[in-house]
Amino acid sequence: MRPLFSSYSLPLLLLFISTFHTINANNLIHETCKKCSQKDPNLSYNFCVNSLQAAPKSQSVDDLRELGKISIKLIKQNVTNTRSHIKKLLGNKNSDSFIESCLSDCFDLYSDAVPTLSQALKDYKAKRYDDANIEVSSVLDASTTCEDGFEEKKGVVSPLTKR
């Protein structure tokens, strides 16, 4: 599984907040994704554009700061949905005990990520970008840690990889 939005590169987006000037509303998403994808090899330009354009409020955004808020909210939505998905998987009594254990660890990691993202959004709105960046990065690390747990046993495939 790819780390949560690692290809989305929110920490890099937060870094650009301080250097970008307001860009024409029609080009903001494309320009931001282009610049970020050039700086981060893990960022897919198309994924970035598609993710941001899918957010209804992004169509009326005219500054990078607002786009940053939308990005954090998208990550929080993804984390919350993934947590719910893991909870459903944990209810499956036919699971292997190793997979069940990994899912339980992932559930804890994703559960901790929700309030972390709430704090990241508060810090971002208060222009404490370094704090917001650290918090978002920790969530990205948590998703990687979750996926890595499944790799500890040869032949086990994470049921979260496609998510």
Side-chain angles (χ1 to χ4, degrees):
M1 179 173 111
R2 279 183 145 165
L4 262 189
F5 278 82
S6 68
S7 60
Y8 189 68
S9 192
L10 180 70
L12 189 58
L13 180 65
L14 294 176
L15 175 67
F16 282 114
I17 293 293
S18 61
T19 58
F20 276 116
H21 296 290
T22 301
I23 300 172
N24 182 320
N26 295 330
N27 296 323
L28 181 63
I29 292 172
H30 289 280
E31 288 297 315
T32 301
C33 291
K34 179 181 174 185
K35 289 188 183 283
C36 290
S37 66
Q38 289 171 345
K39 299 283 185 187
D40 185 345
N42 295 316
L43 173 63
S44 161
Y45 169 80
N46 289 332
F47 178 78
C48 178
V49 169
N50 291 336
S51 296
L52 289 172
Q53 286 180 337
K57 290 186 178 182
S58 71
Q59 304 309 313
S60 61
V61 167
D62 62 356
D63 67 55
L64 194 58
R65 188 163 157 68
E66 248 342 274
L67 198 58
K69 284 191 244 179
I70 290 170
S71 299
I72 294 171
K73 289 176 183 179
L74 283 171
I75 295 170
K76 187 174 178 185
Q77 180 180 1
N78 182 281
V79 165
T80 302
N81 290 341
T82 300
R83 182 185 174 279
S84 294
H85 180 71
I86 294 168
K87 189 173 184 175
K88 287 178 188 172
L89 292 175
L90 282 168
N92 182 357
K93 299 301 176 193
N94 296 327
S95 289
D96 172 272
S97 63
F98 176 77
I99 292 174
E100 193 80 13
S101 175
C102 290
L103 286 171
S104 179
D105 290 344
C106 291
F107 183 80
D108 292 342
L109 288 164
Y110 278 82
S111 293
D112 292 344
V114 174
T116 300
L117 287 166
S118 294
Q119 185 60 47
L121 187 57
K122 288 177 188 175
D123 287 337
Y124 183 83
K125 288 177 179 178
K127 299 183 181 182
R128 293 188 299 266
Y129 300 124
D130 287 341
D131 292 340
N133 189 21
I134 290 167
E135 290 150 355
V136 170
S137 293
S138 75
V139 170
L140 299 178
D141 290 343
S143 66
T144 301
T145 300
C146 168
E147 192 66 15
D148 288 349
F150 292 97
E151 296 174 6
E152 291 180 12
K153 186 174 179 182
K154 188 175 181 172
V156 172
V157 177
S158 167
L160 304 174
T161 300
K162 289 184 180 181
R163 280 188 85 78

